[in-house]
Every structure is written in structure tokens, then in C-alpha cells.
Amino acid sequence: MPWTSWRRQRGRAVRIAGTAAASAVALVVHALLVFNAQDTGKWGNGPDGPPSWVFRHHPWLWGVGLSATLLTCAALACVALLRFRHGRRRTPGSGADTTGV
């Protein structure tokens, strides 16, 4: 995908910015879930306290989050690899669309 000015493709720039904002919100929610799912007893230098509600009722939740993270990373790596391979096969003289749109 060649770099173009955002002024030429405003719709695409808005979609990318919206996706980035939604991803940032999802990351914050995921981070809050991970920190709340941990057992709060003796983390770092803090006082020893009772386990959180999430950890008491769903102690397996950390495994779901970890596996989802690993599967997502693997899927993104596969997509990036396929796009990289597909992009290298395309040549400008073969009649393929190289405008990036």
C-alpha cells in the first residue's frame, strides 16, 4: 500500500482514525479486565488484601485472555505475512491495480 496524502483520501483517513480510537478503547477495557482478574493478595509492595470479585468467581479468566491474545497475535502475523507475499508477487507491468485503493 503506497503512502498517499490524507487530504486525497479523507474517508480512508477517517476510517483508520476511527479504528485506532476504537482499538485504544478496547485495549483500555482489556487492561482493566486483566488487572481486575488478578489475585490482589500481595502484589508488589501493597498490603495483603482479599482476592477481587472477578478472581473469586472466575479464576480461569486469565487463561481465556491469554489465549485470545496469543491467537490474535498469530492471526495478525498470518495476515501480515500473506499481504507481504501477495504484494511482492504483484508487478506494475502485469496489469494489477497498483494505486492502493
Side-chain angles (χ1 to χ4, degrees):
M1 172 172 42
W3 291 97
T4 59
S5 173
W6 67 270
R7 290 185 181 110
R8 286 179 157 181
Q9 299 177 351
R10 290 179 192 227
R12 181 177 170 194
V14 169
R15 285 193 312 267
I16 290 172
T19 303
S23 298
V25 169
L27 179 64
V28 168
V29 171
H30 180 72
L32 288 172
L33 178 66
V34 168
F35 286 122
N36 283 330
Q38 298 298 321
D39 185 3
T40 57
K42 209 58 179 165
W43 260 72
N45 296 329
D48 192 17
S52 66
W53 179 89
V54 175
F55 189 77
R56 278 183 285 158
H57 294 289
H58 307 289
W60 44 266
L61 193 59
W62 67 270
V64 173
L66 179 63
S67 62
T69 302
L70 293 177
L71 287 173
T72 302
C73 289
L76 288 174
C78 288
V79 168
L81 183 64
L82 288 174
R83 285 195 63 160
F84 177 73
R85 284 185 180 172
H86 180 67
R88 290 185 65 109
R89 273 189 261 161
R90 188 183 315 158
T91 58
S94 67
D97 184 24
T98 58
T99 60
V101 179

